[in-house]
Amino acid sequence: MRGTGRVFKRKNSNNWWISYCLRGKEYRESSGSSDRKLAERLLQQRLREIGADRLGLKRFVGPAQDRVTVGELLDTLEQGYRLQEGRAMPQFLAHLRPISAAFGDRRAVDVTEEVADRYITQRLEEGKAPATVNRETQLLGQAFRLAVERKRLSAAPRIRRLPERNARQGFFERGEFEAVLAHLPTDLQDFARFAYVTGWRKGEVASLAWADVDRDGRAIRLRPDSSKTGEARLVVLEGVLWTIIERRWTAREYQGLQAEAVLSSYIFHRNGAPIGDIRKAWASACKKAGLAGKLFHDLRRTAIRNMVRAGVPERVTMDISGHRTRAVFDRYNITSERDLREAVRRTEEHLKAQSMERSVLPFPQAMEVGSR
């Protein structure tokens, strides 16, 4: 039976079953039919697959793996994110959608390296940045690796990772930021100011509630479930940050459904609800300020650069902004043309200040002095 397998019937079943072995493990599989010839053909198919596996031509996946879809793997991955990584769900779902659309209905065993490469090529041709494509295929790879860990699949395809040359470029000079601020709706102005000073991400700022504020200690703590890194973060409320929080304290009240006065639990809110999608308002303000194309995320880069320019130690800057690795931080601490000009100017001033008097004598003169 080991080499040829067998066809048999189970008790109380009208369908024929097949049995075959690979690497000492017996597989039993229903043919789904009461026709013995169909069962025999299925058995021969499985034996050919086993032969190809032994020759190293094609991996044998077995009946259970054969039925698993990529959609099932992605659902399992999403469940894990919701349990452990709820803080990153909006970003996760944004990258998950195109992967689900492209692979959801496919059998997992049909997704090879070549299939993944075709998806990558297609996304690049659609104008997507390499970093965006990597975030998408990263989820696909995670779903397969999780399936292997849980023994739903025996192997996962190796998915190509594109090189990312994505040093951050956008930032605001002070005058530019004030120009955009003037065109933002009132309820978004303090929201933008807070991001401009702290460098916190839009979703992190939007999540802030009054329960996170220590008004006596003048500090505010970002909860782990609201942080992209999953780590709590603290910032002290001094100067403009304290002014923002005090102003938001007086703006807590809004009108409820019954025209009654209600206090918002969120620091930055619209009729009590946290700030949501601001893309339209932000794009409009930037266009009116003559800065079309600027991103809200540019405030994060700007805050980091401003802290570094002000002499704040990089470790402290990273603690405030929430960067866990130096490599990612360096992509945000970008150098502007003004920084380069300032470096040249300071170097020139240093050279001019150096004494023109020679401190080392020419060799012959030094010998003559030494012989006296």
Side-chain angles (χ1 to χ4, degrees), residues 19-39:
S19 174
Y20 48 89
C21 289
L22 177 65
R23 300 186 187 93
K25 178 181 178 180
E26 182 185 8
Y27 292 85
R28 294 187 176 188
E29 180 181 355
S30 172
S31 70
S33 173
S34 58
D35 187 335
R36 181 185 175 97
K37 290 185 177 180
L38 289 178

Side-chain angles (χ1 to χ4, degrees), residues 276-340:
D277 190 351
I278 68 168
R279 286 175 295 182
K280 186 175 180 180
W282 178 261
S284 175
C286 289
K287 185 176 180 180
K288 291 176 181 177
L291 296 166
K294 289 282 192 179
L295 305 176
F296 188 89
H297 200 71
D298 292 339
L299 300 180
R300 178 166 169 78
R301 320 188 221 286
T302 301
I304 293 166
R305 192 189 65 168
N306 287 343
M307 282 186 263
V308 172
R309 277 182 172 180
V312 178
E314 290 188 356
R315 182 66 261 172
V316 176
T317 301
M318 291 174 68
D319 287 342
I320 293 174
S321 65
H323 280 100
R324 287 192 297 184
T325 65
R326 178 61 185 270
V328 176
F329 173 79
D330 285 343
R331 296 214 310 266
Y332 281 83
N333 180 22
I334 56 180
T335 303
S336 69
E337 182 180 342
R338 192 178 104 181
D339 295 329
L340 297 174

Side-chain angles (χ1 to χ4, degrees), residues 35-256:
D35 187 335
R36 181 185 175 97
K37 290 185 177 180
L38 289 178
E40 290 175 346
R41 282 201 291 270
L42 178 61
L43 176 60
Q44 292 305 312
Q45 176 186 330
R46 294 298 187 225
L47 293 176
R48 286 194 296 272
E49 292 171 357
I50 289 173
D53 183 285
R54 287 172 174 158
L55 292 173
L57 300 177
K58 185 178 180 181
R59 174 172 52 87
F60 179 75
V61 296
Q65 297 184 55
D66 194 52
R67 293 189 293 268
V68 176
T69 67
V70 176
E72 294 174 55
L73 304 187
L74 295 176
D75 287 343
T76 302
L77 182 67
E78 182 177 345
Q79 290 171 8
Y81 262 74
R82 290 192 182 279
L83 289 173
Q84 302 176 14
E85 309 277 346
R87 53 186 167 74
M89 283 308 296
Q91 188 177 38
F92 168 83
L93 292 174
H95 291 139
L96 183 68
R97 278 190 288 271
I99 288 293
S100 296
F103 296 99
D105 295 333
R106 285 176 176 262
R107 294 191 311 162
V109 295
D110 291 336
V111 178
T112 62
E113 286 83 353
E114 291 76 14
V115 170
D117 278 351
R118 285 198 293 271
Y119 173 82
I120 291 170
T121 300
Q122 177 186 337
R123 295 295 278 167
L124 292 174
E125 290 175 348
E126 291 171 358
K128 299 302 178 182
T132 299
V133 179
N134 282 342
R135 299 297 88 73
E136 294 170 0
T137 55
Q138 177 183 345
L139 296 183
L140 183 63
Q142 286 178 352
F144 270 94
R145 288 191 293 275
L146 182 60
V148 172
E149 289 174 11
R150 296 186 175 184
K151 303 190 184 318
R152 294 191 69 187
L153 296 176
S154 58
R158 285 189 174 185
I159 299 176
R160 187 187 308 277
R161 180 180 174 83
L162 299 171
E164 298 180 23
R165 301 177 181 87
N166 60 338
R168 311 307 191 188
Q169 295 299 322
F171 55 89
F172 283 92
E173 297 299 342
R174 178 63 183 274
E176 293 176 332
F177 173 66
E178 294 295 338
V180 172
L181 202 63
H183 294 289
L184 281 174
T186 304
D187 58 2
L188 291 182
Q189 290 181 1
D190 279 340
F191 183 80
R193 287 189 183 99
F194 192 93
Y196 176 75
V197 176
T198 62
W200 285 10
R201 301 171 181 89
K202 181 170 71 69
E204 294 171 342
V205 180
S207 73
L208 294 175
W210 288 111
D212 304 323
V213 180
D214 177 3
R215 298 189 75 229
D216 292 334
R218 290 198 176 195
I220 190 167
R221 181 177 294 276
L222 180 67
R223 286 164 278 126
D225 59 348
S226 297
S227 167
K228 182 180 178 182
T229 61
E231 298 176 355
R233 207 147 74 241
L234 180 73
V235 68
V236 296
L237 302 172
E238 295 291 341
V240 66
L241 289 180
W242 178 248
T243 301
I244 291 172
I245 295 303
E246 286 290 272
R247 191 160 50 234
R248 298 311 303 165
W249 180 258
T250 62
R252 290 175 301 152
E253 187 176 302
Y254 68 97
Q255 196 174 66

Side-chain angles (χ1 to χ4, degrees), residues 353-369:
Q354 288 182 340
S355 173
M356 294 294 291
E357 186 176 333
R358 298 172 72 175
S359 57
V360 179
L361 295 174
F363 181 72
Q365 187 177 349
M367 290 290 291
E368 183 179 331
V369 172

